[in-house]
Amino acid sequence: MSILIEQSACAACGSCTEVCPGNLIKRRPDGTAYLKHPEECWGCASCLKECRHEAISYFLGADIGGRGSLMQTKSRGDLQTWIIRRRGEDPITITVDRRNANKY
């Protein structure tokens, strides 16, 4: 599993490079991030959760039904939203209110 970094959305903040446990995310001279060795990505999704600019997507593996799907996250206050984009289909959006997450 790996990630995709959208260069046009990257704000060059460096947050993803700081949280990558494998030190795989590097910065170009302009500060934007890129994944140096995608085949070595652990799939931990730390960078995906840290990116506040929605520039990083996570490839969902076939073993969990992904078949080439991408997932992004958005955080707005107490709301955490996951957006799953499958080829040829409308996006699936799942929103969780963190205030209610531990009630069950």
Side-chain angles (χ1 to χ4, degrees):
M1 293 195 218
S2 188
I3 59 164
L4 172 69
I5 302 172
E6 289 289 334
Q7 296 303 301
S8 61
C10 181
C13 68
S15 294
C16 58
T17 61
E18 294 173 15
V19 299
C20 180
N23 196 28
L24 301 174
I25 302 175
K26 305 296 182 187
R27 296 176 80 178
R28 291 185 171 86
D30 67 355
T32 58
Y34 71 98
L35 188 59
K36 187 169 184 174
H37 300 288
E39 68 280 0
E40 294 180 8
C41 180
W42 303 352
C44 71
S46 293
C47 58
L48 175 71
K49 293 181 269 185
E50 188 65 27
C51 182
R52 300 291 175 231
H53 306 283
E54 300 162 18
I56 301 176
S57 297
Y58 182 74
F59 286 104
L60 297 176
D63 58 332
I64 58 172
R67 294 190 275 310
S69 299
L70 292 171
M71 181 178 70
Q72 285 183 311
T73 64
K74 292 182 183 181
S75 293
R76 302 286 186 266
D78 287 321
L79 299 180
Q80 178 75 38
T81 302
W82 298 306
I83 303 156
I84 301 170
R85 290 183 172 82
R86 295 180 174 170
R87 293 179 190 168
E89 296 182 24
D90 291 334
I92 298 169
T93 303
I94 302 166
T95 302
V96 175
D97 186 333
R98 290 184 237 188
R99 294 171 293 185
N100 299 323
N102 294 324
K103 288 187 177 183
Y104 302 102

